[in-house]
Amino acid sequence: MDNSCHALCRALVTQNGLQPEHVDISQSVLYTSIMGLLLVTEKERELKLGTGQVGLCNVGNTCFLNAIVQCLSHTRGLRDYCLLKAYLQDKHSNQEPVLMNEFSKVLAALWECDSGDSKVNPGKFYRIFKEAVPYFSGYSQQDAQEFLRFLLDRLHTEINRRPSQRPAVIPNKEPTYSRFRISEEAFAMWQKHLDRDDSKIVDLFSGQLHSSLHCSICSHYSDTFDVFCDLSLPVPKVTFFTSFLVCADDVCLCICVSHTCCINTEQSYMMMLSVVKKSEYGRIVTLKECLDLFSQEEKLDKENSPMCDRCNRRTESTKRLTIQKFPRILVIHLNRFTMSRYSICKSSVTVSFPLTGLDLGPFGPVDCGPVLYNLYAVCNHSGTVNMGHYTAVCREEEGWCCYNDSCVSTIQEEKLQSNQAYVLFYELKSCSVHRK
Ligand SMILES: [Zn+2]
């Protein structure tokens, strides 16, 4: 504190063009005044905030938007940044940040302290969003996760601290063999990313994935690093049978819930018995299992494998994903929708997830220690692929609230775990690795 006081004193003196000998401010006075100012600002801001427990009107199949906006509205770092309009000083571009302005207006209306309205209309915000992202025009139901990605991307572009047209400087990749090669390479790639893309959105949501490719011919490891704003996790398939009937001709009928198909053979009866024996019946999948599946080693055949740096050709290889840099806000997408040849299927397996202390350490760099996250919002999807509905559940000062378009109601913590959880929002609690 003493050092920063000195620095601040110097800065004030030089900025005002004052002569140091004419300035008579003691450090403690300066410190007290600044702390006082900060406290006043903090208080003023606190006073201006309502409960935030305000619903959003559905303006025509917009539950996907409402649910995501409520989750983002409960992302404190983003909310305060919007309410204080800090992006106006932050952004590089001279262009009007139209979408960010409108998004901030929605958040401001949601957090207004004595708003007579019990709900906010996001219509104008949605219209401006659709102008920016024509992919979303039309009135059909949209995917909440896709909307989140497009929204964060657009907001980032508007409030980027770096100029938009900047030639990427590609450094010559010198092979280094130091012990810290991976972390050095990852850091260099991250810096390169920040050179072009640096915003509050990046500060909060961006992390870095490390993909390690191991060549089966020459044993060479090729490493690539990619920025991510959410982790899209596969949901493991669970096959279980809910009921069976014995027919008159002693042939069993099994109904397999996860594939919604009926098998009418004796074999299926045996299959069912073995499944029940393995106590797979009604099993709940854990979030850790989804993460395990995401980061498990994947065998790639020659055709699907990228080039091996050393062999200089496609070879059989194995690929593994780990998290190199942990984001402050971790968005987890439970990928319930899978494309089959003719249609899209939705998995309604219950995925249980921890509300506090989700440890991502095991999915990070070797020996990175525990990296703990706490849950603060969930975007739920109920119904089927074509007839679905999105709602949000968010953590409040006391307990949890469910946001179902314009309806807001409290919800018991026990009811958070359901087979509808679709996008999970976690906040970093502690991280023992050095965050650069
Ligand atoms: Zn090779």
Side-chain angles (χ1 to χ4, degrees):
M1 193 42 96
D2 279 352
N3 279 340
S4 46
C5 258
H6 266 303
L8 193 61
C9 233
R10 270 200 307 277
L12 283 173
V13 166
T14 37
Q15 291 223 335
N16 290 328
L18 296 168
Q19 296 301 310
E21 55 266 32
H22 297 145
V23 187
D24 186 26
I25 317 171
S26 75
Q27 263 190 38
S28 60
V29 169
L30 189 64
Y31 172 70
T32 321
S33 326
I34 287 172
M35 285 316 280
L37 262 175
L38 286 176
L39 283 174
V40 168
T41 326
E42 191 69 29
K43 270 217 174 110
E44 264 181 2
R45 214 175 66 204
E46 263 178 51
L47 283 175
K48 273 180 194 158
L49 283 185
T51 60
Q53 289 165 25
V54 177
L56 287 160
C57 309
N58 191 320
V59 289
N61 277 327
T62 54
C63 58
F64 70 92
L65 173 140
N66 292 350
I68 289 296
V69 168
Q70 291 291 4
C71 293
L72 291 177
S73 165
H74 284 77
T75 306
R76 239 182 251 182
L78 182 66
R79 177 199 69 188
D80 292 354
Y81 187 76
C82 290
L83 296 189
L84 293 168
K85 289 190 184 264
Y87 55 90
L88 294 175
Q89 284 88 53
D90 229 8
K91 71 186 181 70
H92 179 272
S93 158
N94 290 327
Q95 275 177 7
E96 192 72 13
V98 275
L99 187 65
M100 190 65 180
N101 280 338
E102 215 49 54
F103 177 67
S104 301
K105 273 186 205 166
V106 173
L107 294 197
L110 289 173
W111 287 92
E112 203 178 324
C113 59
D114 33 46
S115 70
D117 306 320
S118 57
K119 55 191 179 209
V120 171
N121 188 326
K124 194 177 172 202
F125 161 65
Y126 189 35
R127 206 178 63 234
I128 286 171
F129 173 77
K130 283 195 286 190
E131 277 166 21
V133 186
Y135 176 77
F136 272 80
S137 43
Y139 289 91
S140 59
Q141 176 68 269
Q142 306 280 1
D143 182 80
Q145 167 65 5
E146 262 183 355
F147 170 71
L148 176 66
R149 279 192 179 178
F150 277 107
L151 175 63
L152 291 183
D153 183 66
R154 278 307 304 177
L155 293 179
H156 161 72
T157 310
E158 285 190 352
I159 61 171
N160 198 350
R161 298 175 186 125
R162 309 286 176 187
S164 57
Q165 299 298 324
R166 230 175 169 206
V169 186
I170 299 157
N172 290 327
K173 207 177 167 185
E174 292 278 332
T176 50
Y177 298 100
S178 80
R179 222 183 108 207
F180 304 107
R181 184 180 63 90
I182 298 290
S183 60
E184 277 170 11
E185 258 184 59
F187 183 68
M189 290 304 286
W190 183 255
Q191 287 305 315
K192 211 176 98 183
H193 173 69
L194 287 186
D195 270 352
R196 278 174 298 160
D197 292 289
D198 182 13
S199 71
K200 192 70 181 179
I201 303 292
V202 174
D203 295 348
L204 291 171
F205 295 94
S206 290
Q208 192 183 36
L209 272 182
H210 171 205
S211 161
S212 175
L213 197 75
H214 184 221
C215 172
S216 65
I217 306 291
C218 72
S219 284
H220 175 69
Y221 282 96
S222 315
D223 302 290
T224 48
F225 302 93
D226 294 298
V227 175
F228 70 92
C229 275
D230 59 67
L231 288 183
S232 190
L233 305 184
V235 177
K237 276 201 173 68
V238 180
T239 313
F240 54 86
F241 302 94
T242 49
S243 60
F244 63 95
L245 297 164
V246 182
C247 308
D249 55 357
D250 274 355
V251 175
C252 296
L253 173 76
C254 275
I255 301 162
C256 158
V257 170
S258 57
H259 296 115
T260 44
C261 58
C262 298
I263 325 162
N264 195 353
T265 63
E266 209 158 346
Q267 265 178 329
S268 71
Y269 178 61
M270 299 312 293
M271 231 168 85
M272 184 199 68
L273 283 185
S274 72
V275 167
V276 172
K277 255 186 211 155
K278 274 189 260 162
S279 67
E280 290 273 305
Y281 178 79
R283 199 172 72 101
I284 293 173
V285 166
T286 63
L287 183 60
K288 193 182 167 295
E289 285 173 86
C290 300
L291 284 159
D292 283 337
L293 196 61
F294 172 76
S295 67
Q296 83 179 6
E297 212 168 60
E298 187 189 352
K299 276 202 163 72
L300 299 172
D301 53 28
K302 247 190 227 172
E303 288 71 38
N304 292 313
S305 195
M307 298 275 271
C308 166
D309 286 349
R310 196 180 282 167
C311 300
N312 236 336
R313 64 188 168 89
R314 290 177 200 279
T315 55
E316 263 179 42
S317 58
T318 53
K319 188 178 121 178
R320 203 176 165 231
L321 288 173
T322 48
I323 302 166
Q324 183 67 32
K325 188 184 187 300
F326 294 94
R328 231 179 282 176
I329 301 293
L330 173 74
V331 179
I332 292 180
H333 170 223
L334 298 173
N335 198 356
R336 296 188 174 277
F337 297 102
T338 42
M339 293 276 281
S340 70
R341 197 183 296 184
Y342 302 108
S343 60
I344 304 171
C345 293
K346 186 193 169 188
S347 153
S348 45
V349 169
T350 300
V351 179
S352 72
F353 46 87
L355 304 189
T356 54
L358 167 70
D359 185 8
L360 281 199
F363 307 96
V366 189
D367 301 331
C368 87
V371 182
L372 303 177
Y373 282 90
N374 290 343
L375 186 84
Y376 69 91
V378 182
C379 171
N380 286 317
H381 181 269
S382 59
T384 61
V385 176
N386 298 316
M387 289 286 288
H389 183 57
Y390 288 101
T391 53
V393 176
C394 304
R395 195 179 62 206
E396 310 295 335
E397 293 285 327
E398 284 162 20
W400 296 79
C401 265
C402 178
Y403 294 86
N404 184 355
D405 288 331
S406 53
C407 297
V408 185
S409 54
T410 52
I411 182 172
Q412 286 171 308
E413 200 171 89
E414 300 83 70
K415 290 189 176 153
L416 254 68
Q417 310 273 348
S418 76
N419 65 351
Q420 300 176 358
Y422 184 50
V423 187
L424 308 173
F425 290 76
Y426 279 94
E427 189 175 21
L428 188 71
K429 186 181 154 206
S430 75
C431 185
S432 55
V433 288
H434 179 58
R435 284 165 52 86
K436 282 167 182 168

